Amino acid sequence: FEITPTGAHVDIWLPETSLARANQDAVNAPPVSTLPHVGPAAPIQSAPGRVLIVEDSFVVSLRLEDMLNSLGAREVVSFANGMDVLKRIDTWRPDLACLDIKIGEDARAGLEIAKTLQELDVPLIFITGFGSEFQLPEQFQACPRLTKPINDSDLRAALHVASQSA
């Protein structure tokens, strides 16, 4: 980090494998949406208060956090792994959770967190990989699912659906 008379200079390191995988998947797979069509101006009944994001991709997590903040979320907390979430859930309860289904190499980690949050009546939005055809278990079928890359209108639609189930 360096501050100069013309501004600030920051070097950010992102694992090349994360960016390469994201770019490759985005090129090879068309987006899949499991959300009803809700136009960009569709009202969200109320802005989410405290939102939990569990996403192992820093870039996706940061983008989602920015979008939620722009929609009026009061507090957004991001985690890259499930163990940290489960340790904190006793002292900080979210009003909404956005969960990546696959966290790291664990293809079902997000579902384990989702079971705990569902028992606490926290509305859930699932995040799946680029073009993922993964079928959610029956107990989560009514939950909205976002496919990476996430766009504003899909997030708005997912929030609308999640607010209906709250």
Side-chain angles (χ1 to χ4, degrees):
F1 179 77
E2 178 183 10
I3 297 178
T4 67
T6 60
H9 175 81
V10 178
D11 289 321
I12 297 176
W13 180 86
L14 295 174
E16 186 176 325
T17 56
S18 295
L19 296 175
R21 183 184 69 188
N23 287 334
Q24 182 66 32
D25 289 343
V27 167
N28 291 335
V32 175
S33 178
T34 60
L35 298 169
H37 176 71
V38 178
I44 297 172
Q45 291 187 349
S46 64
R50 292 176 302 204
V51 182
L52 168 67
I53 299 172
V54 182
E55 169 60 60
D56 59 353
S57 167
F58 174 75
V59 174
V60 172
S61 180
L62 188 61
R63 169 82 172 123
L64 185 55
E65 189 172 331
D66 285 345
M67 289 190 302
L68 288 162
N69 284 325
S70 73
L71 291 171
R74 270 193 343 259
E75 182 181 5
V76 181
V77 176
S78 298
F79 290 93
N81 74 62
M83 292 310 295
D84 292 339
V85 173
L86 295 176
K87 289 177 188 172
R88 182 148 184 216
I89 205 69
D90 290 336
T91 59
W92 186 84
R93 176 102 24 108
D95 300 314
L96 173 76
C98 298
L99 306 172
D100 190 358
I101 294 172
K102 182 181 179 206
I103 303 169
E105 295 303 314
D106 190 343
R108 301 181 67 81
L111 295 176
E112 294 304 315
I113 297 165
K115 289 176 187 174
T116 299
L117 293 171
Q118 191 176 52
E119 290 171 4
L120 298 170
D121 294 321
V122 175
L124 305 171
I125 296 174
F126 287 100
I127 303 168
T128 63
F130 301 87
S132 174
E133 296 296 324
F134 180 81
Q135 293 298 312
L136 291 170
E138 181 70 31
Q139 74 192 80
F140 301 121
Q141 288 292 315
C143 298
R145 182 165 84 177
L146 296 171
T147 303
K148 300 173 193 174
I150 300 166
N151 65 49
D152 292 329
S153 63
D154 283 349
L155 177 59
R156 191 176 272 286
L159 290 169
H160 178 75
V161 171
S163 73
Q164 300 298 312
S165 68

